[in-house]
Amino acid sequence: MEMATMINKALFTSNKEDWETPQDFYDRLNAKYHFEWDLAASDDNAKCSCYFTRDDNSLEQDWEGLSGNLFLNPPYGRELKLWVKKAATTGLKDKQNLVMLIPSRTDTSYWHDYIFNHAEIEFLRGRLKFEVDGVSGDSAPFPSAVVIYTGDGDDD
């Protein structure tokens, strides 16, 4: 039983320093959105030259003051709902995009409160293979979705 518990914990590890967005998947998104900021990165896995690390505490940063399109692959742990809420409530500039890669857990309250009817959603076919130090691992134990928030130009 102990081995099953260890395997289960490994499947749901949410340490941002360990699990990276697959580079080819990011490259396809970046070709469309031309990101300027990676909102949840480490010095070793940042996808953009402008990024926030765990030490920067991205949830405390002013995302509204950032220019260009924003990429977010947040930690998938218990605080995921805080990242989704911040993404949904960030006032984006006209035609500015915040693109978020998260597990497709559509039964959760944060999906209903902050994603459905608030963002464009692209459900991914199959399972992503997240990377560790740039090397692809096994398929994720959950489906993923890309959630796109777009600024509408309203200032109020």
Side-chain angles (χ1 to χ4, degrees), residues 6-134:
M6 287 173 29
I7 291 171
N8 237 2
K9 286 183 178 179
L11 290 175
F12 293 99
T13 297
S14 58
N15 185 336
K16 185 62 182 164
E17 266 58 46
D18 292 339
W19 300 104
E20 306 162 15
T21 305
Q23 189 63 49
D24 61 335
F25 179 79
Y26 173 81
D27 289 343
R28 287 193 302 274
L29 280 178
N30 192 42
K32 180 175 181 179
Y33 294 102
H34 310 285
F35 299 112
E36 290 193 31
W37 281 89
D38 185 340
L39 300 175
S42 73
D43 290 330
D44 296 329
N45 70 16
K47 300 298 184 187
C48 303
S49 58
C50 299
Y51 61 93
F52 293 126
T53 66
R54 179 172 291 165
D55 290 340
D56 297 320
N57 195 352
S58 187
L59 286 173
E60 296 297 321
Q61 299 295 325
D62 178 14
W63 295 356
E64 291 182 23
L66 303 178
S67 62
N69 288 330
L70 314 173
F71 175 71
L72 176 60
N73 179 7
Y76 292 172
R78 293 176 191 233
E79 292 188 346
L80 179 56
K81 62 187 168 215
L82 302 176
W83 292 87
V84 173
K85 180 180 180 179
K86 183 170 176 87
T89 59
T90 294
L92 298 171
K93 298 169 188 72
D94 189 32
K95 297 186 176 135
Q96 182 182 28
N97 297 293
L98 191 159
V99 179
M100 181 171 55
L101 173 63
I102 60 172
S104 179
R105 296 182 179 135
T106 58
D107 59 332
T108 59
S109 60
Y110 61 84
W111 268 85
H112 288 265
D113 295 341
Y114 301 112
I115 297 174
F116 292 129
N117 301 315
H118 299 284
E120 179 184 338
I121 305 164
E122 295 176 10
F123 293 102
L124 303 184
R125 184 177 183 155
R127 304 278 171 107
L128 284 178
K129 291 184 177 184
F130 289 92
E131 298 177 350
V132 177
D133 297 326

